[in-house]
Amino acid sequence: MKNNSLHSVGLILIVLWSISAQATTYYVKTGGNNSSAGTSWSTAKADLQNALNVSSVGDEIWIAAGTYKPTLDPSTGTASGSTRDYSFYLDKNIEIYGGFAGTETLLSQRNSTSNPVILSGDIGTVGSSSDNCYHVFITEGLSSAAVLDGITITGGKANGSYSNITYSGQNYYRDGGGGMCNYASSPTLTDVTISGNMGEYGGGIENLSSSSPTLTNVTISGNTATSRGGGMFIHDPSSTTLINVTISGNTAGLSGGGIENLSSSSTLTNVTISGNTASYGGGMYNNNTSSPTLTNVTISGNTASAKGGGMYNTYSSSPTLTNVTISGNTAASNGGGIYNSSSSSPTITNSLFWGN
């Protein structure tokens, strides 16, 4: 029995080593060649989606500075149909890193500030948003092992009708998640900027159907929703973790200028929600038993044209606030700092309200 056990352990170690050894790093740079192997800077691919398609679980993709745009329709995997349906798409756990000059041999050598990587939905007439992609990036079924790091996502415009794009067996509606749409998907986003996107729901990000991404050192700014969740719309239900995140300057026509939780309870730590605008819940809107946990959060300078300048809680939504500052927010009607309705009862500890 002892020898058999040792033999089994040895086989397991060999299998694990074999799996690890098979991981590949793919390289992407402007001026690359999609026909090349993509396994070095000298054979780098030109399109991110091409690299995504050839990669396998556990692989890495390194992207050199530049602007990259979707080239394929996720429904068909081809360059056909309406170009507004094009997006970057992913349903396998790989790691994507931007910030390279195109000569590095180590991940630690990259600098995302000096070498910005921009994923843009501005695929038609440059500078005109009317023909932009409905989504810049869509994901399905990812775990936290999937990584997006050192990237800017911009130029998505999810203003289509209530119809869908089908990818990996799921429906992605053309009216939500202009920057990024996650379906039953929980990727890890680090050092990511999501700005200048729009949608009817979730101008910057839409998380739906039990998506639980983790966002660290992320900026969500200057996004617009014509209805709900200017910066981020979280629902169906989903639970997003935000750490060291800034949500600023986003706008929603109806509710949740910065962020809206619908039947969802997110966790926010060291987050700033500032300068966002909506009719209800300029900074944050919590609806239908949404009870997020906020720790060391600042909600300031947000505006509601109706109620809840900083935060609006409704239909048994009872967030927990610890060490939270709510200041300088404005509502035209009620609740400059917080407005609570329909059996909502937040728990507030060691928090400061002033100038609302």
Side-chain angles (χ1 to χ4, degrees):
M1 289 297 292
K2 181 178 180 180
N3 289 337
N4 287 339
S5 297
L6 290 174
H7 180 68
S8 299
V9 170
L11 288 175
I12 291 171
L13 290 174
I14 291 172
V15 170
L16 291 174
W17 177 86
S18 176
I19 292 172
S20 175
Q22 293 174 7
T24 302
T25 298
Y26 291 96
Y27 300 80
V28 178
K29 67 178 182 181
T30 57
N33 187 341
N34 287 334
S35 298
S36 297
T39 52
S40 66
W41 287 120
S42 62
T43 63
K45 293 182 176 294
D47 294 335
L48 172 58
Q49 191 60 53
N50 190 279
L52 292 172
N53 289 347
V54 300
S55 65
S56 300
V57 171
D59 288 347
E60 293 183 6
I61 296 177
W62 293 11
I63 313 174
T67 298
Y68 301 86
K69 301 180 181 182
T71 56
L72 299 176
D73 184 337
S75 295
T76 62
T78 64
S80 61
S82 170
T83 56
R84 294 202 65 195
D85 285 346
Y86 288 12
S87 70
F88 297 109
Y89 49 91
L90 181 64
D91 63 356
K92 50 195 170 185
N93 291 326
I94 64 172
E95 300 177 19
I96 304 167
Y97 297 98
F100 294 92
T103 58
E104 296 86 350
T105 57
L106 298 173
L107 187 62
S108 60
Q109 295 172 331
R110 70 192 177 114
N111 187 319
S112 59
T113 301
S114 301
N115 304 302
V117 170
I118 299 170
L119 307 185
S120 172
D122 191 7
I123 60 173
T125 302
V126 176
S128 172
S129 65
S130 62
D131 53 5
N132 285 20
C133 298
Y134 292 118
H135 312 93
V136 179
F137 211 123
I138 64 175
T139 75
E140 189 277 328
L142 302 180
S143 75
S144 60
V147 173
L148 189 62
D149 188 314
I151 304 290
T152 292
I153 296 175
T154 188
K157 189 172 184 179
N159 68 334
S161 60
Y162 189 67
S163 58
N164 61 276
I165 298 165
T166 302
Y167 168 64
S168 196
Q170 307 299 343
N171 294 326
Y172 296 79
Y173 293 95
R174 294 180 175 93
D175 61 357
M180 187 174 198
C181 187
N182 299 304
Y183 192 106
S185 194
S186 304
T188 299
L189 277 64
T190 304
D191 188 24
V192 171
T193 296
I194 299 175
S195 65
N197 304 282
M198 73 87 61
E200 184 174 355
Y201 305 96
I205 303 178
E206 183 177 27
N207 298 321
L208 67 160
S209 190
S210 299
S211 292
S212 300
T214 298
L215 282 62
T216 305
N217 298 329
V218 169
T219 297
I220 302 172
S221 65
N223 302 286
T224 301
T226 56
S227 183
R228 305 164 73 173
M232 181 182 296
F233 187 37
I234 305 167
H235 61 111
D236 282 349
S238 296
S239 179
T240 305
T241 298
L242 296 89
I243 304 168
N244 298 331
V245 172
T246 298
I247 302 173
S248 64
N250 303 285
T251 301
L254 180 60
S255 54
I259 181 171
E260 174 162 347
N261 292 296
L262 175 62
S263 303
S264 299
S265 296
S266 302
T267 301
L268 290 74
T269 306
N270 299 330
V271 172
T272 297
I273 302 173
S274 65
N276 304 285
T277 304
S279 294
Y280 302 91
M284 175 182 284
Y285 188 85
N286 300 310
N287 187 14
N288 194 26
T289 67
S290 293
S291 298
T293 299
L294 286 69
T295 306
N296 299 329
V297 172
T298 297
I299 301 174
S300 65
N302 302 285
T303 302
S305 60
K307 300 176 180 180
M311 179 186 293
Y312 190 117
N313 302 309
T314 189
Y315 292 107
S316 300
S317 295
S318 299
T320 299
L321 283 66
T322 305
N323 299 332
V324 172
T325 297
I326 298 180
S327 65
N329 303 286
T330 302
S333 179
N334 302 102
I338 294 182
Y339 184 82
N340 301 306
S341 71
S342 303
S343 301
S344 296
S345 180
T347 299
I348 303 173
T349 306
N350 294 336
S351 296
L352 179 64
F353 292 71
W354 61 275
N356 301 291

